[in-house]
Amino acid sequence: MKVNLKRSKDTQLAVILDVQGQDGIFILYDNVNGTYKQVYEKRGPVSEVKVSGNTHLVITVRLGHGTGYIIEQYYVIRFTSKGWKEVWSNYAWYMKVLPEIEPGTEIIGTICLGLDQLIYITFTQSNITDVCFQPIDTNYSVKYFKYDYTSESFI
């Protein structure tokens, strides 16, 4: 898909290759002097890619295949003074799939990127601890991350 995260006349190309949900790769190409060059790569089955705030690309990648866990991770990419950079990452979803071995924890994260005078991420997370599919504890948290132009990442 074509995206324009640098707000310039040239677009970037976001390419996803997924092999039966078991393996995959996400590659971002940018137009450099009239030629598209690879500027970012993330390996793993990609379950979602979206543009947020016209400057951020949010990628959700499935990790942990065959480990007894289901893990999906958010990666937020943006163009910085040092080029393309991963500026934030956290769980999208984390769950033990073998609860009979030990109590499981399921973490479900929801990300919201907003653009105002300040750039921020609102990250909502719900933690559910269960034993043999019986929830015994649930808690929710909300965290706010502000974009820091010095470190060029969310803190």
Side-chain angles (χ1 to χ4, degrees):
M1 72 179 173
K2 285 185 177 183
V3 294
N4 190 348
L5 302 172
K6 291 171 35 178
R7 298 184 185 184
S8 66
K9 63 179 180 140
D10 296 323
T11 58
Q12 297 82 48
L13 300 175
V15 179
I16 302 166
L17 174 64
D18 189 44
V19 182
Q20 298 178 347
Q22 302 297 318
D23 200 6
I25 189 168
F26 170 85
I27 300 175
L28 182 66
Y29 293 93
D30 195 2
N31 192 328
V32 179
N33 299 324
T35 304
Y36 280 98
K37 299 195 186 245
Q38 181 178 329
V39 293
Y40 179 82
E41 173 183 309
K42 183 57 73 181
R43 294 192 174 268
V46 177
S47 55
E48 183 179 20
V49 175
K50 65 182 177 179
V51 175
S52 184
N54 294 324
T55 55
H56 297 87
L57 196 59
V58 181
I59 306 163
T60 308
V61 177
R62 197 171 316 110
L63 308 169
H65 178 72
T67 64
Y69 296 87
I70 296 174
I71 302 169
E72 286 195 352
Q73 187 85 7
Y74 290 125
Y75 297 95
V76 178
I77 314 309
R78 89 178 255 145
F79 187 73
T80 70
S81 66
K82 296 178 181 134
W84 292 95
K85 183 179 172 185
E86 197 172 284
V87 294
W88 187 82
S89 179
N90 210 326
Y91 288 129
W93 188 38
Y94 169 98
M95 184 177 77
K96 293 181 183 178
V97 293
L98 301 173
E100 65 276 5
I101 295 174
E102 59 181 311
T105 299
E106 182 176 358
I107 298 172
I108 302 169
T110 304
I111 185 173
C112 174
L113 269 80
L115 184 62
D116 199 347
Q117 290 182 348
L118 301 173
I119 297 171
Y120 60 90
I121 291 177
T122 303
F123 182 67
T124 306
Q125 181 174 310
S126 59
N127 294 0
I128 303 165
T129 303
D130 64 58
V131 177
C132 296
F133 302 105
Q134 298 297 317
I136 57 172
D137 186 32
T138 302
N139 61 59
Y140 301 92
S141 63
V142 178
K143 297 177 185 173
Y144 298 96
F145 299 88
K146 179 180 152 190
Y147 190 75
D148 178 50
Y149 287 92
T150 304
S151 66
E152 295 187 313
S153 61
F154 285 93
I155 57 171

